[in-house]
Amino acid sequence: MTEAHDAETASTGRQLATVVGVLALAVPGLVLRAGGGHAHPALAALAYGAAVVSAAFVLAWAAEAVQLDISAGLALALLALVAVLPEYAVDFVFTRRAGNDFARYGSCSGGPVNHCHLALANMTGGNQLLVGVGWSAVVLIAAWQVRRLQRAGRLDHTDPLHSGLDGDFALERSHSVEIAYLTIASVWGLTLPFRHSLGLFDAAVLVAIFVAYMVRITRAPAEEPELVGPAALVGGLSTVPRRIVVAIMFVVSAGIIVLCAEHFASALVDTGREFGISDFLLVKWLAPLASEAPELLVAILFAWRLNTASALGALVSSKVNQWTLLVGTLPIVFAIASSGWHGLPLDTTQRLELFVTAAQSVFAIGILASRSVSVREAQMLLSMFVVQLVLQGVLEGHAELVCRFVVGMLYLVLAALLLVRQRVAMRHLLHDGFRTPYSEMTEADTSIGVA
């Protein structure tokens, strides 16, 4: 009894230390903000970026713990919004500035910085990072963990988890809903590169897809949330203290984001200009990495525990949110900021960025048609992402544009091959995603032993 109590005390201590450590990340950014924000651009970007990461972690813990106090449907809706809130904050900064520039100059290129470029850069970078790194990392880490446990004799070859090493890591049948709505959004996304602006009609379509998706998943049966780390610590409190702590966490994290997100965005641009680095690439890769760090780390933690279904399911759901609600709200923010009805302007670079992002999404859908991801498919996702990242870093001008087009076409060719091969499975998946009752899908998951 004493040993159990000591272990629980030690676990609580570690979780509290984690909370304190994460909150400490926000201190330099908040101090810099309070002092007027005078620092070298790179140091400012680091300080404000750390504050955004800190807020994202606290926000994620609060969103997990709040599931104990609200209905299942409302919890799903809240989690969907909270998961991408830090990225929204940064993206909305650039989009608002783009709208202001458009109202002042009549275009996004009239000012010293093309904020239209940066608004799209952050959005497309976040989407590509989530699939190229997040999805592949979950599968590859889980496969490595399976191999490690087998070598140590702690996992039997007949164990169901063994199938993940040489075969696939599967999603529950109920995750067909996320994949089905991601399919619709990705098909619409393929039309965006043919436009000269991301307009309010696109916003209406994408937001409508998100709303339909939310209506569908609110019919999912309530489940006891699997809380880990600080979220479990908060969830273990009695009702009233838990609700107070969760409310404080939401307020604190939102306050940090409001205070630091815009300065983080400005510091990234200033850093690029200071060192001669493309501000487009900095905003595309560093800003989403900061805002999505908690989500990626939680997914990796689940993968390490061989709970790949939960890890992949969460990342697929986040992809739906980003490709519908985030993309769909950018034209609305731009229209408000520009005081007009004109859509967010798209030049050749931006259209190619949207093309690559949509093509990668279609390729990911081709992989998920079987509701599973193999180690080889994860390696393909990661390899193509790395190649794209390296080429965009070293190529310039026309060569870079050609690179984007070639990468996008390669994604589409591979997607076509997968979808043709998996056409029957894809048809069943779409039927499940749009029409099959959740009760039937979850009963099937239980019957085959999926956790």
Side-chain angles (χ1 to χ4, degrees), residues 75-230:
L76 288 169
L78 182 62
L79 286 170
L81 293 171
V82 165
V84 288
L85 183 58
E87 187 169 353
Y88 276 31
V90 176
D91 223 340
F92 283 4
V93 168
F94 289 123
T95 306
R96 176 176 55 79
R97 290 180 179 180
N100 292 337
D101 289 346
F102 192 87
R104 184 180 306 166
Y105 304 110
S107 71
C108 289
S109 58
V113 177
N114 190 325
H115 289 108
C116 291
H117 263 221
L118 301 183
L120 267 296
N122 188 52
M123 181 274 291
T124 56
N127 273 273
Q128 294 170 27
L129 183 72
L130 188 66
V131 175
V133 175
W135 293 18
S136 57
V138 164
V139 172
L140 296 177
I141 288 172
W144 184 86
Q145 176 72 332
V146 168
R147 187 184 297 274
R148 188 183 71 86
L149 292 175
Q150 286 179 347
R151 286 176 176 173
R154 296 166 58 189
L155 187 66
D156 187 75
H157 283 263
T158 61
D159 191 290
L161 290 172
H162 171 250
S163 63
L165 181 60
D166 303 311
D168 300 338
F169 288 92
L171 285 162
E172 293 98 327
R173 185 180 174 186
S174 54
H175 283 300
S176 299
V177 174
E178 286 90 341
I179 303 171
Y181 282 91
L182 179 58
T183 301
I184 299 179
S186 298
V187 169
W188 186 261
L190 284 174
T191 71
L192 300 181
F194 297 97
R195 321 286 176 78
H196 290 284
S197 65
L198 188 63
L200 292 176
F201 183 71
D202 297 307
V205 171
L206 291 170
V207 172
I209 294 172
F210 175 78
V211 171
Y213 164 65
M214 292 308 307
V215 170
R216 176 77 163 115
I217 66 172
T218 53
R219 297 170 183 167
E223 296 180 358
E224 187 71 22
E226 183 180 352
L227 304 180
V228 296

Side-chain angles (χ1 to χ4, degrees), residues 224-350:
E224 187 71 22
E226 183 180 352
L227 304 180
V228 296
L233 179 64
V234 175
L237 300 173
S238 57
T239 303
V240 174
R242 180 178 66 242
R243 291 176 178 175
I244 293 175
V245 170
V246 167
I248 292 173
M249 292 171 73
F250 274 123
V251 170
V252 168
S253 56
I256 293 173
I257 290 172
V258 168
L259 290 172
C260 297
E262 183 162 5
H263 293 272
F264 176 49
S266 298
L268 282 177
V269 175
D270 293 340
T271 299
R273 300 177 71 180
E274 177 77 15
F275 293 101
I277 304 172
S278 168
D279 52 8
F280 183 91
L281 293 180
L282 282 176
V283 170
K284 179 178 178 180
W285 300 125
L286 289 186
L289 188 61
S291 59
E292 294 188 17
E295 186 175 19
L296 294 176
L297 288 176
V298 169
I300 288 172
L301 177 61
F302 277 124
W304 182 257
R305 295 177 177 179
L306 298 181
N307 189 359
T308 53
S310 295
L312 284 172
L315 293 183
V316 172
S317 178
S318 181
K319 171 65 175 175
V320 178
N321 300 334
Q322 289 194 17
W323 202 218
T324 55
L325 188 62
L326 177 58
V327 181
T329 49
L330 294 186
I332 299 173
V333 173
F334 181 84
I336 294 173
S338 63
S339 301
W341 296 98
H342 195 282
L344 182 64
L346 302 175
D347 61 15
T348 301
T349 300
Q350 293 166 307

Side-chain angles (χ1 to χ4, degrees), residues 27-42:
V27 173
L30 293 174
V31 170
L32 186 60
R33 175 73 170 81
H38 300 293
H40 190 278

